[in-house]
Structure formats: structure tokens, C-alpha cells
Amino acid sequence: EVRKIVAELMAVDNNPYSHQIVINKGTLQGVFEGQPVLDDKGLVGQVMQVGTTTSRVLLIADVTHAVPVRILRNNVRLVASGSGQLNRLVINHVPHSTDI
């Protein structure tokens, strides 16, 4: 029952301090600001700008992006922030005794 939109990657931002991409779907296809973007492994980013036929996505690796997360095994809630590296997120303010 969940509606899905399959999109193609059109462009990758070449700014080394910003991790953004452009996809080929926009308001005509039902894309909206704040919409999560997923791939086969999970969350990729969030739509930050929407045009008629394209949208700009801020990747979770960007240093200005943060997302709430929950560990299903023990229901611990945290905030994962982008580190500026595509393969690494940062989790701050976690007590040492937390089972992650």
C-alpha cells in the first residue's frame, strides 16, 4: 500500500564540501520536499528542493544532515549525523554503557 517512485540519478554535485545529487523526478511525479530517498540498502538522503521534473537530494553523509535512528534490537534512539565521508556516519552524545 506504500507508494514508491523509482528515479534515476542525473547528476552528482562536484563540490567536495557538499554531498548532493539530482534525480529525474519532480512535482509532476509526486515528489515533495522532505521526502526520504532510499536504495536497496536503506536510507540515502532527503529531498531538499523540488522542480517540475527534477529534484535535489541531500545525502545523509553531508555534514549538515542528521537523521533520527532507532536500534530495533533494544529500542535505543539516537541521532546519526553526516561526517562528510560517503561511507561513515557519526553518532554523538551516547553513554558508554549503551549497547549498540
Side-chain angles (χ1 to χ4, degrees), residues 43 60 66-72 75-81 89-91:
L43 184 66
I60 61 172
V67 62
V69 296
R70 180 172 56 108
I71 300 171
L72 292 175
N75 209 30
V76 172
R77 295 175 185 265
L78 308 162
V79 176
S81 303
L89 295 176
V90 176
I91 299 174

Side-chain angles (χ1 to χ4, degrees), residues 24-88:
N24 69 337
K25 301 294 181 192
T27 54
L28 292 178
Q29 292 80 23
V31 176
F32 55 90
E33 284 187 25
Q35 187 172 17
V37 177
L38 308 171
D39 70 2
D40 61 330
K41 295 183 175 112
L43 184 66
V44 172
Q46 186 174 15
V47 175
M48 60 180 269
Q49 228 174 19
V50 182
T52 308
T53 58
T54 62
S55 298
R56 183 168 292 275
V57 175
L58 182 66
L59 301 179
I60 61 172
D62 191 279
V63 294
T64 63
H65 195 273
V67 62
V69 296
R70 180 172 56 108
I71 300 171
L72 292 175
R73 183 173 41 84
N74 54 10
N75 209 30
V76 172
R77 295 175 185 265
L78 308 162
V79 176
S81 303
S83 67
Q85 299 174 15
L86 290 175
N87 61 350
R88 184 170 170 242

Side-chain angles (χ1 to χ4, degrees), residues 9-15 18-23 56-57 59 86:
L9 178 66
M10 292 182 60
V12 178
D13 195 358
N14 63 359
N15 181 347
S18 175
H19 296 291
Q20 298 179 17
I21 59 172
V22 177
I23 58 173
R56 183 168 292 275
V57 175
L59 301 179
L86 290 175

